[in-house]
Amino acid sequence: MSASGRVEVAEADADGFEGRFLARTLGEVRVMQVASTRFRFERSPKMAANMVRDHLLVNVVEAGRIEGRIAERAIKAEAGALVLSRMATPMDVVLDGVSWLALIIPKDILDRHMIWRRSLDGRVFAPGSAPALLLAAHMRALLALSDPVPPAETELVARSSLALLSTSLGAAPRTGPTSSVDGPDVAQLVRRFIFEHLRDPELDVAMICARFSLSRSSLYRLMGERSDIAGLIRDLRLRGAKRDILSGHFADRTIEEIGRRWGLPDERSFRRAFVRAFGQSPSHLRRSVRAGVPLALQSSLGVEDELERWFTGL
């Protein structure tokens, strides 16, 4: 259960529940490929109303079926169909043996480029339709980009995604100024920017200030208790590296490569910071994982958590 909704796996399906999850963050755009056995996702009207930052979710079903309600619309989507929804919209759907592609775009970013129509919320485009084919191909192309994508190219990714989405949906382009009445506060945008750029070794206070046109003192006041921005970035990177080691999914990568993956290119500095944060070196932790030593944080790596991340857009 979270502020975004509830993932529910029936008791009869729990023992055999499986899933796969692949995600890439490209500036303000996030693209994912997810597969799972049967589960239900429910977002109540209250949860939808309390959403901090609304997002558009563009989903293409690759296999299986999605059925239920989004907003006031009953939906049924088979393989090849395109489904649109928003995080600030109530929904109750069952995903049955589904593999799907997802493109997630913040609604405030979307609103700068196109006029969103309520009739698009919960809209299903049939398999073989131009929107479904074009957007599926685009998402697969984003997932196939080399890793990491240079920061200078992430803006191109965002622009191309927004342009293709607007054209595919037949939405009117935004030609006038947009309203900021219902936009998220700047602190929330800063937190998201930090999260999405953690793997960029150039991410620092100066980059954040430049992105949001803030002075350092303004940024520190804005973040309140999180005023140690450099420390926050370091801690989040170290936690990401620790999750990679615990997961065992990067056993073929060196410790140095894992550090670089999280924006920590200096191996010696990475190892020292890791020891200070967790009381052991990354190499020692990897040996413990390989030896099968029980580790408490492994329980946080289940696919249910990854599904939750998909629905929250984080």
Side-chain angles (χ1 to χ4, degrees), residues 239-250:
R239 284 161 52 190
K242 185 177 183 180
R243 284 197 301 271
D244 280 0
I245 296 171
L246 284 172
S247 73
H249 296 158
F250 298 88

Side-chain angles (χ1 to χ4, degrees), residues 43-63:
R43 181 186 298 124
S44 69
K46 182 178 180 180
M47 291 175 175
N50 290 333
M51 195 63 57
V52 175
R53 190 185 192 194
D54 196 7
H55 287 68
L56 171 66
L57 291 87
V58 182
N59 304 299
V60 173
V61 182
E62 295 186 297

Side-chain angles (χ1 to χ4, degrees), residues 58-94:
V58 182
N59 304 299
V60 173
V61 182
E62 295 186 297
R65 179 184 61 172
I66 301 176
E67 188 170 3
R69 298 193 69 86
I70 299 176
E72 301 174 356
R73 192 193 302 259
I75 68 110
K76 183 176 181 179
E78 306 283 354
L82 169 70
V83 184
L84 302 178
S85 66
R86 286 173 44 215
M87 286 171 55
T89 296
M91 63 188 302
D92 187 355
V93 294
V94 172

Side-chain angles (χ1 to χ4, degrees), residues 14-64:
D15 290 342
F17 185 74
E18 296 179 345
R20 300 189 307 276
F21 185 88
L22 173 65
R24 302 195 67 181
T25 298
L26 300 161
E28 290 281 7
V29 172
R30 199 163 196 234
V31 61
M32 305 183 187
Q33 186 174 42
V34 189
S36 78
T37 48
R38 183 182 174 91
F39 74 97
R40 176 186 177 191
F41 180 80
E42 180 184 12
R43 181 186 298 124
S44 69
K46 182 178 180 180
M47 291 175 175
N50 290 333
M51 195 63 57
V52 175
R53 190 185 192 194
D54 196 7
H55 287 68
L56 171 66
L57 291 87
V58 182
N59 304 299
V60 173
V61 182
E62 295 186 297

Side-chain angles (χ1 to χ4, degrees), residues 29-311:
V29 172
R30 199 163 196 234
V31 61
M32 305 183 187
Q33 186 174 42
V34 189
S36 78
T37 48
R38 183 182 174 91
F39 74 97
R40 176 186 177 191
F41 180 80
E42 180 184 12
R43 181 186 298 124
S44 69
K46 182 178 180 180
M47 291 175 175
N50 290 333
M51 195 63 57
V52 175
R53 190 185 192 194
D54 196 7
H55 287 68
L56 171 66
L57 291 87
V58 182
N59 304 299
V60 173
V61 182
E62 295 186 297
R65 179 184 61 172
I66 301 176
E67 188 170 3
R69 298 193 69 86
I70 299 176
E72 301 174 356
R73 192 193 302 259
I75 68 110
K76 183 176 181 179
E78 306 283 354
L82 169 70
V83 184
L84 302 178
S85 66
R86 286 173 44 215
M87 286 171 55
T89 296
M91 63 188 302
D92 187 355
V93 294
V94 172
L95 296 90
D96 193 1
V98 176
S99 171
W100 73 97
L101 298 166
L103 184 67
I104 301 175
I105 301 173
K107 179 70 165 45
D108 55 294
I109 302 297
L110 183 74
D111 287 342
R112 299 175 193 169
H113 298 267
M114 60 178 273
I115 299 173
W116 176 259
R117 303 190 306 272
R118 290 186 60 187
S119 61
L120 291 172
D121 206 357
R123 175 80 181 274
V124 176
F125 291 83
S129 64
L133 292 173
L134 287 170
L135 289 167
H138 181 67
M139 285 185 264
R140 292 188 185 103
L142 295 184
L143 288 168
L145 289 172
S146 60
D147 189 17
V149 176
E153 294 183 14
T154 58
E155 181 64 22
L156 172 62
V157 170
R159 288 200 310 269
S160 64
S161 298
L162 288 162
L164 180 60
L165 184 64
S166 176
T167 303
S168 299
L169 301 183
R174 174 71 68 180
T175 56
T178 61
S179 171
S180 60
V181 173
D182 59 350
D185 61 28
V186 179
Q188 179 71 10
L189 292 176
V190 169
R191 286 191 289 270
R192 177 166 295 278
F193 182 82
I194 290 172
F195 179 86
E196 293 176 346
H197 291 78
L198 271 178
R199 297 183 184 186
D200 182 352
E202 296 183 5
L203 175 66
D204 58 12
V205 172
M207 176 188 282
I208 298 169
C209 288
R211 170 64 177 79
F212 293 95
S213 300
L214 294 168
S215 66
R216 287 176 178 262
S217 59
S218 297
L219 177 62
Y220 295 147
R221 285 196 302 271
L222 181 71
M223 299 303 287
E225 71 279 7
R226 292 296 184 95
S227 59
D228 181 10
I229 308 299
L232 171 65
I233 293 170
R234 181 190 63 248
D235 291 346
L236 289 173
R237 285 171 167 165
L238 290 171
R239 284 161 52 190
K242 185 177 183 180
R243 284 197 301 271
D244 280 0
I245 296 171
L246 284 172
S247 73
H249 296 158
F250 298 88
D252 59 338
R253 304 233 187 150
T254 66
I255 294 299
E256 182 181 8
E257 287 172 332
I258 290 176
R260 287 203 303 268
R261 172 176 150 79
W262 286 97
L264 299 164
D266 186 290
E267 183 179 9
R268 181 176 295 182
S269 298
F270 168 45
R271 290 178 184 271
R272 284 201 301 262
F274 197 97
V275 171
R276 285 196 300 269
F278 306 119
Q280 61 182 313
S281 70
S283 299
H284 184 273
L285 179 61
R286 168 172 278 179
R287 288 194 294 270
S288 297
V289 171
R290 288 173 173 170
V293 176
L295 297 164
L297 286 183
Q298 284 181 317
S299 63
S300 68
L301 296 169
V303 70
E304 293 90 344
D305 296 323
E306 297 291 12
L307 287 170
E308 200 69 63
R309 285 164 63 94
W310 179 75
F311 281 109

